[in-house]
Amino acid sequence: MDQIQKTDLLSLFPEELEQLFLSLEEPKYRASQMFPQLHKGIAPGEMTNIGKATLAKLEAHAFFYLPLIRRKLVSRLDGTVKYLFALRDGNCVESVVMKYNHGNTICISSQVGCRMGCAFCASTIGGKVRDLLPSELLGQIIAAEKDTGERISNIVMMGIGEPLDNYDNVLRFLRLVGHEKGLNIGYRHISLSTCGLVDQIDRLAKENLPITLSISLHAPDDKTRSEIMPINRKWNVEQLLQACRRYYRITGRRISFEYTLIAGKNDSPDAALRLASTLNTQLRSPADKTTFPIHVNLIPVNPVTETGFSASDTQAIKRFASLLEKKGIRATVRRRLGADINASCGQLRRAEEQQEEAT
Ligand code: SAH
C-alpha cells in the first residue's frame, strides 16, 4: 500500500508539521492553521482555510485517520460508553469513557493485543499484534469526544496493551496530548498503568512528566506474582518496589498500586498482611524523611472465560481492605462502572475476532 510511506499528520509536533509544509513548498503558517483542527478531528479535506492545491500536495504525501466506531455499548446503569474502534489496517482496540462528577475520563488502549501474558487478562490471550501510533492513541480520545460531544478531561492508560512496552510512541503521545493548541490535557490528569517494566519506569522517571503512575501489583510475594504475572520472573516484587521508590524520589508524584482480588489466590487475610508488610518494608524505611504515600486500589477480578478465575466475595474484599488500613495503607475498592456492558479488559475485541474467525 502506497499509504504506508505517507506521513502520519496527527503524530506530528507543530514544528514537524511546519517542516512538512516547507518541504511541500508551502508557507509554514499552514502548520499553525492545521494543528488545532487536526486535534479536533477535522480532516484536511474538511478544513475551510486550506485550498485545493495545498490539499492535493498534502494528500500525496501525508494521511489523516481517526479510529472508526465499529461497535458502541452504552451502560444503562451509569452512562459508561465502551467503544470498539477500527484502525486504518483493520485491527481493533477498545476505549471506555466514564462519567464522573469531576469530568469525563477515558481509558485508552496502547497496543493491539499484549505480550505480557498476565494469567487473568483477556487482552493478552492472542499475544501482541502491534504497537499503537501516537496518532492512534490521540485518535481514541478525539473520536470519543466527537461522538459524545463532550470534553474529556482525564486519561487513564489502562486499556489493551502495556504502555511502557510501546515507550516512544506513548511518550510522543503524552507530549502531544498536553499541547495547548491540541487537546490540552495536563499531565496531572493522566495516569499510566504498568505491569512493572522496571527499566522503563526508571526511564520515565527522568522525563520529568508529572503523570500518575499506577502499578499492577496483584500479589504480595514473588511466588504468587510469578504464577499470575510472567513479568515478575524478570523483575521481582522487590526490584519493582525499589523502582517505585526511585520514581517517587525523582518526581515527587504519588504512585497507586492496583491489586486484583482473585478468589482463593491472593485474597486471604494472610495475603493482606504480607502485602502490607512488603509495601511498608520496601517503601518506608525508618531512615526516610518523607513517607511514601501508599494507596492500594482493590479490584474484584473481572471473570474472563478462558482464565477460570473468579472474583472474591464482598466480605473478603472488605476484610482485605480493613487489614491494609490497620497497617497504615490506604485502600479503596474500585467502583465498577459499566458492569452491564462488560466495560473492562479487552473482551469486546476478542469477541469481535472470534466472530470474524467463525465467519
Ligand atoms: N498493561 C498495563 C495496563 C493495562 S491493564 C498494566 O498491566 O497495568 C489495566 C489493569 O487491568 C491492570 O491493573 C491489569 O492487571 C488489570 N486487569 C487485567 N485483566 C483484568 C481482569 N480480568 N480483572 C480485573 N483487572 C484486570
Tab-separated table of all heavy atoms in Angstrom, residues 111-152:
chain	number	residue	atom	x	y	z
A	111	GLN	N	-1.721	-0.776	22.793
A	111	GLN	CA	-1.223	-1.719	21.785
A	111	GLN	C	-2.416	-2.524	21.257
A	111	GLN	O	-3.454	-2.604	21.907
A	111	GLN	CB	-0.225	-2.707	22.415
A	111	GLN	CG	1.056	-2.049	22.927
A	111	GLN	CD	1.992	-3.038	23.613
A	111	GLN	OE1	1.556	-3.873	24.405
A	111	GLN	NE2	3.273	-2.935	23.307
A	112	VAL	N	-2.231	-3.147	20.090
A	112	VAL	CA	-3.219	-4.121	19.633
A	112	VAL	C	-2.765	-5.436	20.244
A	112	VAL	O	-1.717	-5.975	19.882
A	112	VAL	CB	-3.236	-4.234	18.093
A	112	VAL	CG1	-4.270	-5.271	17.669
A	112	VAL	CG2	-3.512	-2.883	17.436
A	113	GLY	N	-3.509	-5.922	21.252
A	113	GLY	CA	-3.074	-7.106	21.992
A	113	GLY	C	-1.992	-6.745	22.993
A	113	GLY	O	-1.725	-5.565	23.241
A	114	CYS	N	-1.370	-7.762	23.567
A	114	CYS	CA	-0.363	-7.524	24.607
A	114	CYS	C	0.506	-8.768	24.710
A	114	CYS	O	0.032	-9.875	24.495
A	114	CYS	CB	-1.076	-7.264	25.939
A	114	CYS	SG	0.054	-6.888	27.298
A	115	ARG	N	1.807	-8.557	25.034
A	115	ARG	CA	2.667	-9.742	25.132
A	115	ARG	C	3.122	-10.021	26.562
A	115	ARG	O	4.063	-10.773	26.776
A	115	ARG	CB	3.865	-9.612	24.206
A	115	ARG	CG	4.738	-8.401	24.485
A	115	ARG	CD	5.886	-8.340	23.485
A	115	ARG	NE	6.736	-7.219	23.771
A	115	ARG	CZ	8.070	-7.282	23.793
A	115	ARG	NH1	8.675	-8.404	23.526
A	115	ARG	NH2	8.769	-6.208	24.060
A	116	MET	N	2.424	-9.419	27.535
A	116	MET	CA	2.871	-9.568	28.919
A	116	MET	C	2.389	-10.875	29.570
A	116	MET	O	2.949	-11.324	30.556
A	116	MET	CB	2.430	-8.357	29.756
A	116	MET	CG	3.095	-7.064	29.301
A	116	MET	SD	4.900	-7.132	29.506
A	116	MET	CE	5.474	-6.636	27.893
A	117	GLY	N	1.320	-11.450	29.043
A	117	GLY	CA	0.927	-12.794	29.479
A	117	GLY	C	0.299	-12.931	30.855
A	117	GLY	O	0.314	-14.029	31.415
A	118	CYS	N	-0.261	-11.875	31.429
A	118	CYS	CA	-0.894	-11.998	32.752
A	118	CYS	C	-2.041	-13.021	32.680
A	118	CYS	O	-2.851	-12.998	31.747
A	118	CYS	CB	-1.418	-10.648	33.234
A	118	CYS	SG	-0.098	-9.436	33.436
A	119	ALA	N	-2.082	-13.888	33.684
A	119	ALA	CA	-2.971	-15.057	33.613
A	119	ALA	C	-4.461	-14.722	33.653
A	119	ALA	O	-5.283	-15.506	33.205
A	119	ALA	CB	-2.642	-16.011	34.761
A	120	PHE	N	-4.804	-13.543	34.204
A	120	PHE	CA	-6.218	-13.206	34.412
A	120	PHE	C	-6.753	-12.295	33.315
A	120	PHE	O	-7.906	-11.906	33.318
A	120	PHE	CB	-6.374	-12.490	35.767
A	120	PHE	CG	-5.272	-11.474	35.992
A	120	PHE	CD1	-5.350	-10.228	35.415
A	120	PHE	CD2	-4.133	-11.823	36.712
A	120	PHE	CE1	-4.318	-9.315	35.573
A	120	PHE	CE2	-3.091	-10.913	36.878
A	120	PHE	CZ	-3.179	-9.654	36.298
A	121	CYS	N	-5.912	-11.915	32.363
A	121	CYS	CA	-6.254	-10.820	31.454
A	121	CYS	C	-6.639	-11.289	30.051
A	121	CYS	O	-5.941	-12.109	29.452
A	121	CYS	CB	-5.059	-9.862	31.385
A	121	CYS	SG	-5.353	-8.456	30.318
A	122	ALA	N	-7.741	-10.731	29.540
A	122	ALA	CA	-8.235	-11.135	28.214
A	122	ALA	C	-7.409	-10.537	27.076
A	122	ALA	O	-7.334	-11.110	25.992
A	122	ALA	CB	-9.691	-10.700	28.064
A	123	SER	N	-6.756	-9.392	27.348
A	123	SER	CA	-6.072	-8.684	26.253
A	123	SER	C	-4.854	-9.427	25.738
A	123	SER	O	-4.391	-9.197	24.632
A	123	SER	CB	-5.603	-7.311	26.732
A	123	SER	OG	-6.675	-6.578	27.202
A	124	THR	N	-4.307	-10.304	26.552
A	124	THR	CA	-3.027	-10.922	26.215
A	124	THR	C	-3.188	-12.296	25.569
A	124	THR	O	-2.213	-12.887	25.106
A	124	THR	CB	-2.152	-10.994	27.498
A	124	THR	OG1	-0.791	-11.144	27.133
A	124	THR	CG2	-2.591	-12.126	28.414
A	125	ILE	N	-4.421	-12.781	25.500
A	125	ILE	CA	-4.635	-14.166	25.054
A	125	ILE	C	-4.076	-14.432	23.653
A	125	ILE	O	-3.406	-15.422	23.421
A	125	ILE	CB	-6.144	-14.547	25.176
A	125	ILE	CG1	-6.524	-14.573	26.663
A	125	ILE	CG2	-6.416	-15.906	24.538
A	125	ILE	CD1	-8.000	-14.712	26.948
A	126	GLY	N	-4.275	-13.519	22.734
A	126	GLY	CA	-3.750	-13.732	21.375
A	126	GLY	C	-2.370	-13.112	21.162
A	126	GLY	O	-1.897	-13.023	20.035
A	127	GLY	N	-1.707	-12.659	22.217
A	127	GLY	CA	-0.384	-12.032	22.084
A	127	GLY	C	-0.474	-10.608	21.558
A	127	GLY	O	-1.569	-10.060	21.400
A	128	LYS	N	0.712	-10.030	21.287
A	128	LYS	CA	0.723	-8.648	20.770
A	128	LYS	C	0.697	-8.674	19.246
A	128	LYS	O	1.452	-9.414	18.629
A	128	LYS	CB	1.982	-7.916	21.252
A	128	LYS	CG	2.048	-6.477	20.775
A	128	LYS	CD	3.322	-5.779	21.191
A	128	LYS	CE	4.267	-5.633	20.011
A	128	LYS	NZ	5.389	-4.725	20.269
A	129	VAL	N	-0.156	-7.860	18.658
A	129	VAL	CA	-0.188	-7.747	17.195
A	129	VAL	C	0.719	-6.596	16.760
A	129	VAL	O	1.597	-6.757	15.920
A	129	VAL	CB	-1.632	-7.537	16.683
A	129	VAL	CG1	-1.666	-7.377	15.169
A	129	VAL	CG2	-2.519	-8.697	17.126
A	130	ARG	N	0.522	-5.421	17.358
A	130	ARG	CA	1.413	-4.290	17.060
A	130	ARG	C	1.216	-3.162	18.071
A	130	ARG	O	0.247	-3.144	18.824
A	130	ARG	CB	1.213	-3.785	15.632
A	130	ARG	CG	-0.113	-3.089	15.382
A	130	ARG	CD	-0.073	-2.419	14.000
A	130	ARG	NE	-1.336	-1.812	13.639
A	130	ARG	CZ	-1.709	-0.569	13.958
A	130	ARG	NH1	-0.938	0.194	14.700
A	130	ARG	NH2	-2.873	-0.093	13.547
A	131	ASP	N	2.182	-2.232	18.032
A	131	ASP	CA	2.079	-1.049	18.882
A	131	ASP	C	1.124	-0.045	18.250
A	131	ASP	O	1.026	0.026	17.020
A	131	ASP	CB	3.456	-0.360	18.983
A	131	ASP	CG	4.434	-1.172	19.810
A	131	ASP	OD1	3.987	-1.869	20.739
A	131	ASP	OD2	5.642	-1.099	19.525
A	132	LEU	N	0.472	0.758	19.068
A	132	LEU	CA	-0.333	1.851	18.513
A	132	LEU	C	0.557	3.060	18.252
A	132	LEU	O	1.517	3.316	18.983
A	132	LEU	CB	-1.462	2.249	19.466
A	132	LEU	CG	-2.580	1.234	19.690
A	132	LEU	CD1	-3.748	1.894	20.426
A	132	LEU	CD2	-3.084	0.642	18.383
A	133	LEU	N	0.229	3.793	17.193
A	133	LEU	CA	0.955	5.015	16.851
A	133	LEU	C	0.491	6.149	17.767
A	133	LEU	O	-0.632	6.095	18.294
A	133	LEU	CB	0.636	5.410	15.400
A	133	LEU	CG	0.997	4.381	14.341
A	133	LEU	CD1	0.376	4.764	12.994
A	133	LEU	CD2	2.521	4.286	14.240
A	134	PRO	N	1.293	7.199	17.900
A	134	PRO	CA	0.827	8.353	18.691
A	134	PRO	C	-0.536	8.844	18.195
A	134	PRO	O	-1.425	9.166	18.997
A	134	PRO	CB	1.920	9.402	18.461
A	134	PRO	CG	3.142	8.607	18.131
A	134	PRO	CD	2.666	7.381	17.404
A	135	SER	N	-0.719	8.874	16.880
A	135	SER	CA	-1.996	9.351	16.320
A	135	SER	C	-3.157	8.445	16.717
A	135	SER	O	-4.296	8.899	16.843
A	135	SER	CB	-1.918	9.413	14.796
A	135	SER	OG	-1.647	8.123	14.279
A	136	GLU	N	-2.874	7.158	16.897
A	136	GLU	CA	-3.949	6.235	17.278
A	136	GLU	C	-4.269	6.345	18.766
A	136	GLU	O	-5.402	6.073	19.188
A	136	GLU	CB	-3.546	4.796	16.920
A	136	GLU	CG	-3.475	4.593	15.410
A	136	GLU	CD	-2.827	3.286	14.997
A	136	GLU	OE1	-1.921	2.802	15.709
A	136	GLU	OE2	-3.206	2.745	13.947
A	137	LEU	N	-3.279	6.742	19.554
A	137	LEU	CA	-3.532	6.991	20.981
A	137	LEU	C	-4.390	8.248	21.119
A	137	LEU	O	-5.414	8.264	21.800
A	137	LEU	CB	-2.206	7.136	21.730
A	137	LEU	CG	-1.333	5.867	21.737
A	137	LEU	CD1	0.107	6.175	22.086
A	137	LEU	CD2	-1.894	4.853	22.708
A	138	LEU	N	-3.983	9.306	20.416
A	138	LEU	CA	-4.768	10.549	20.415
A	138	LEU	C	-6.137	10.328	19.787
A	138	LEU	O	-7.149	10.862	20.263
A	138	LEU	CB	-4.065	11.614	19.557
A	138	LEU	CG	-2.884	12.345	20.139
A	138	LEU	CD1	-2.229	13.158	19.034
A	138	LEU	CD2	-3.327	13.263	21.266
A	139	GLY	N	-6.146	9.558	18.715
A	139	GLY	CA	-7.362	9.349	17.924
A	139	GLY	C	-8.502	8.763	18.748
A	139	GLY	O	-9.668	9.096	18.526
A	140	GLN	N	-8.164	7.890	19.697
A	140	GLN	CA	-9.221	7.306	20.535
A	140	GLN	C	-9.941	8.416	21.307
A	140	GLN	O	-11.164	8.407	21.446
A	140	GLN	CB	-8.626	6.305	21.533
A	140	GLN	CG	-8.000	5.085	20.876
A	140	GLN	CD	-7.225	4.234	21.899
A	140	GLN	OE1	-7.798	3.692	22.820
A	140	GLN	NE2	-5.927	4.112	21.717
A	141	ILE	N	-9.172	9.392	21.791
A	141	ILE	CA	-9.767	10.478	22.583
A	141	ILE	C	-10.567	11.415	21.677
A	141	ILE	O	-11.702	11.786	21.979
A	141	ILE	CB	-8.655	11.273	23.320
A	141	ILE	CG1	-7.775	10.316	24.116
A	141	ILE	CG2	-9.257	12.352	24.217
A	141	ILE	CD1	-6.504	10.942	24.660
A	142	ILE	N	-9.962	11.773	20.549
A	142	ILE	CA	-10.619	12.709	19.639
A	142	ILE	C	-11.926	12.103	19.107
A	142	ILE	O	-12.973	12.767	19.076
A	142	ILE	CB	-9.672	13.085	18.469
A	142	ILE	CG1	-8.421	13.778	19.025
A	142	ILE	CG2	-10.388	13.954	17.440
A	142	ILE	CD1	-7.310	13.982	17.993
A	143	ALA	N	-11.867	10.816	18.730
A	143	ALA	CA	-13.070	10.170	18.183
A	143	ALA	C	-14.154	10.083	19.256
A	143	ALA	O	-15.340	10.281	18.964
A	143	ALA	CB	-12.721	8.784	17.654
A	144	ALA	N	-13.756	9.814	20.497
A	144	ALA	CA	-14.750	9.718	21.580
A	144	ALA	C	-15.351	11.094	21.885
A	144	ALA	O	-16.549	11.215	22.131
A	144	ALA	CB	-14.120	9.122	22.832
A	145	GLU	N	-14.514	12.140	21.847
A	145	GLU	CA	-15.042	13.500	22.086
A	145	GLU	C	-16.025	13.886	20.987
A	145	GLU	O	-17.058	14.488	21.242
A	145	GLU	CB	-13.902	14.526	22.122
A	145	GLU	CG	-13.209	14.589	23.464
A	145	GLU	CD	-12.365	15.861	23.646
A	145	GLU	OE1	-12.067	16.536	22.642
A	145	GLU	OE2	-12.007	16.149	24.804
A	146	LYS	N	-15.665	13.546	19.751
A	146	LYS	CA	-16.559	13.876	18.626
A	146	LYS	C	-17.884	13.150	18.776
A	146	LYS	O	-18.951	13.708	18.560
A	146	LYS	CB	-15.911	13.428	17.311
A	146	LYS	CG	-15.096	14.509	16.624
A	146	LYS	CD	-14.585	14.011	15.296
A	146	LYS	CE	-15.241	14.704	14.121
A	146	LYS	NZ	-14.594	14.372	12.840
A	147	ASP	N	-17.803	11.881	19.177
A	147	ASP	CA	-19.022	11.088	19.271
A	147	ASP	C	-19.911	11.525	20.440
A	147	ASP	O	-21.122	11.627	20.285
A	147	ASP	CB	-18.676	9.602	19.418
A	147	ASP	CG	-19.927	8.760	19.491
A	147	ASP	OD1	-20.703	8.791	18.512
A	147	ASP	OD2	-20.157	8.101	20.525
A	148	THR	N	-19.305	11.784	21.599
A	148	THR	CA	-20.125	12.143	22.763
A	148	THR	C	-20.495	13.626	22.760
A	148	THR	O	-21.425	14.038	23.437
A	148	THR	CB	-19.380	11.866	24.099
A	148	THR	OG1	-18.150	12.596	24.079
A	148	THR	CG2	-19.082	10.397	24.301
A	149	GLY	N	-19.725	14.427	22.025
A	149	GLY	CA	-19.947	15.870	22.026
A	149	GLY	C	-19.533	16.500	23.344
A	149	GLY	O	-19.889	17.638	23.649
A	150	GLU	N	-18.780	15.762	24.147
A	150	GLU	CA	-18.359	16.284	25.453
A	150	GLU	C	-16.854	16.272	25.573
A	150	GLU	O	-16.188	15.402	25.004
A	150	GLU	CB	-18.939	15.406	26.577
A	150	GLU	CG	-20.425	15.567	26.747
A	150	GLU	CD	-20.963	14.666	27.842
A	150	GLU	OE1	-20.216	14.333	28.774
A	150	GLU	OE2	-22.141	14.294	27.739
A	151	ARG	N	-16.323	17.229	26.346
A	151	ARG	CA	-14.880	17.259	26.549
A	151	ARG	C	-14.444	16.127	27.484
A	151	ARG	O	-15.131	15.791	28.443
A	151	ARG	CB	-14.459	18.614	27.146
A	151	ARG	CG	-12.975	18.675	27.445
A	151	ARG	CD	-12.500	20.067	27.839
A	151	ARG	NE	-11.379	20.011	28.777
A	151	ARG	CZ	-10.118	19.764	28.423
A	151	ARG	NH1	-9.807	19.564	27.166
A	151	ARG	NH2	-9.161	19.710	29.335
A	152	ILE	N	-13.296	15.570	27.171
A	152	ILE	CA	-12.698	14.561	28.049
A	152	ILE	C	-11.548	15.238	28.787
A	152	ILE	O	-10.696	15.875	28.162
A	152	ILE	CB	-12.229	13.349	27.223
A	152	ILE	CG1	-13.470	12.573	26.751
A	152	ILE	CG2	-11.291	12.456	28.040
A	152	ILE	CD1	-13.219	11.525	25.723
